[in-house]
Amino acid sequence: MPVTPRIVVLAGGVGGSRFVLGVREALRRRGIADTAEALTVVVNTGDDLWLSGVRLQPDVDSIMYALAGVNDTERGWGRQGDTERVNAELQEWDAGWPWFTLGDLDLGTHLARTGWLRDGLTPTEVLERMSRRWPLGARLLPMTDAEVDTIVVLEDGSRLHFQEWWTRHRATLTPSRFDNPGIDSASPAPGVADAIAAADVVLVAPSNPVVSIGPILAVAGIRNVLRATAAPIVGVSPIIGGRVVRGMADVCLAAIGVETTADAVAAHYGARAHGGLLDAWLIAEEDAALAAGVDGFGIRSIVTPLWMTDVDRSAALAESALAAAGV
Ligand code: GDP
Ligand code: CA
């Protein structure tokens, strides 16, 4: 019988789901049949929003759809083969946001979620119920049950929801900071602290450090549990050769004064030995020259291919991350 390690992954949407698919695949290749037993994913809910009366959880859905194999891999979000009839009708009503498309199948998810929330289920319970539909091979937990939607504060002090800034303005308005009102008093969702405390390894996915991993770490209590766990904490750089692979994480990093380089992101997370987050940090071969600098922060650097262009490469990356933790 293969040993079943207990793995916790902290993740955002797209980078997060590619990485989580890799971890699940790596576990399968080790002969672990019940990967859900091994793999817990703590998902960013800072991207969540209310729109046209329904609750959207973009990062949660990206990961759920990807694990279920029903995600639209070309577009990068939503459901494969979705249609937009309801969306067109909403636009005729001048309801919702004209620049934010809601697919019909996707809306089914949001309606189910919203109905259950209104019945009194917590977001954790809703996600548990949603996870029964498909054999996901992972346990998904929201970072918190509290609503702590990300707000972007611009230089002139005006505030807009993260989704408006990201999707409508494509991150072209210069942010001065990101706020998650209420996050200081939000608690980790049930199961999150226990999973981290009992883990053999905690993996930080190559997700946006500011608006995906940032909110997870900002939930009151999560940093302390991470600091206290006996599990090694291994992160994967979302930056390769000084560039974000996809998305606009560079704008987010600039807003908090962090350079778009693999070593600057490592320094931003910090070494656990010095009160920060990381024990080890995977950087790309393109960034091999940065390895000594990362080691100098007190974080063990590992140079390995970081491109998650297919599930084989994602699984190899996940194996490197597990190996870095001796798992
Ligand atoms: P979002 O919530 O959908 O924005 O997705 P995440 O926050 O999970 O991930 C976004 C980050 O994933 C971006 O900053 C990218 O740099 C990173 N990313 C995407 N694809 C890859 C990849 O193939 N390799 C690595 N190392 N990072 C990636
Ligand atoms: Ca996201």
Side-chain angles (χ1 to χ4, degrees):
M1 281 283 284
V3 182
T4 302
R6 287 160 299 180
I7 303 168
V8 172
V9 182
L10 312 183
V14 172
S17 52
R18 282 173 190 250
F19 185 67
V20 167
L21 285 179
V23 178
R24 184 182 65 179
E25 181 60 22
L27 290 169
R28 285 180 178 162
R29 290 179 185 184
R30 288 182 178 196
I32 295 166
D34 187 2
T35 57
E37 186 82 354
L39 175 57
T40 298
V41 187
V42 176
V43 188
N44 171 44
T45 58
D47 288 16
D48 297 8
L49 70 157
W50 287 100
L51 190 64
S52 291
V54 293
R55 188 69 173 155
L56 275 57
Q57 298 199 288
D59 287 2
V60 167
D61 290 345
S62 291
I63 293 195
M64 177 173 68
Y65 293 158
L67 286 169
V70 299
N71 57 316
D72 186 323
T73 48
E74 259 167 48
R75 221 171 28 169
W77 52 271
R79 292 283 294 276
Q80 216 171 77
D82 213 345
T83 47
E84 293 170 9
R85 291 195 68 198
V86 178
N87 195 66
E89 189 65 4
L90 283 169
Q91 301 208 354
E92 290 297 326
W93 286 115
D94 210 8
W97 283 334
W99 37 266
F100 198 90
T101 310
L102 293 169
D104 295 329
L105 297 175
D106 207 18
L107 264 165
T109 304
H110 308 325
L111 284 171
R113 168 183 298 126
T114 306
W116 288 327
L117 288 171
R118 292 193 59 165
D119 289 344
L121 269 63
T122 63
T124 303
E125 290 164 347
V126 169
L127 187 49
E128 198 275 324
R129 187 175 290 197
M130 290 197 147
S131 298
R132 293 179 205 162
R133 177 172 176 188
W134 293 291
L136 301 180
R139 179 165 70 126
L140 304 188
L141 296 175
M143 64 187 194
T144 178
D145 278 339
E147 285 182 17
V148 292
D149 302 13
T150 305
I151 303 297
V152 183
V153 184
L154 302 181
E155 282 169 321
D156 65 3
S158 55
R159 299 164 67 83
L160 64 172
H161 193 284
F162 171 74
Q163 293 298 345
E164 182 169 8
W165 176 74
W166 186 263
T167 308
R168 180 183 192 181
H169 298 291
R170 311 299 306 162
T172 52
L173 305 174
T174 305
S176 66
R177 65 193 165 85
F178 300 88
D179 250 6
N180 294 90
I183 203 158
D184 302 341
S185 52
S187 331
V192 169
D194 288 347
I196 294 171
D200 296 314
V201 58
V202 176
L203 302 176
V204 182
S207 289
N208 188 314
V210 185
V211 294
S212 291
I213 304 299
I216 300 176
L217 300 177
V219 173
I222 289 194
R223 259 188 198 277
N224 286 339
V225 204
L226 287 167
R227 225 165 261 151
T229 183
I233 303 182
V234 179
V236 180
S237 175
I239 309 300
I240 300 179
R243 315 174 80 96
V244 294
V245 181
R246 279 177 210 89
M248 301 163 279
D250 46 343
V251 184
C252 304
L253 286 166
I256 61 159
V258 175
E259 259 186 273
T260 302
T261 59
D263 56 337
V265 174
H268 164 68
Y269 284 140
R272 197 141 71 118
H274 307 309
L277 176 71
L278 297 173
D279 295 305
W281 185 237
L282 272 58
I283 61 175
E285 293 155 306
E286 294 88 326
D287 291 317
L290 305 177
V294 173
D295 292 333
F297 305 144
I299 302 168
R300 187 160 57 93
S301 65
I302 291 124
V303 178
T304 197
L306 295 194
W307 292 95
M308 300 184 290
T309 39
D310 56 40
V311 76
D312 276 340
R313 289 189 176 88
S314 297
L317 172 56
E319 242 340 305
S320 307
L322 295 175
V327 167

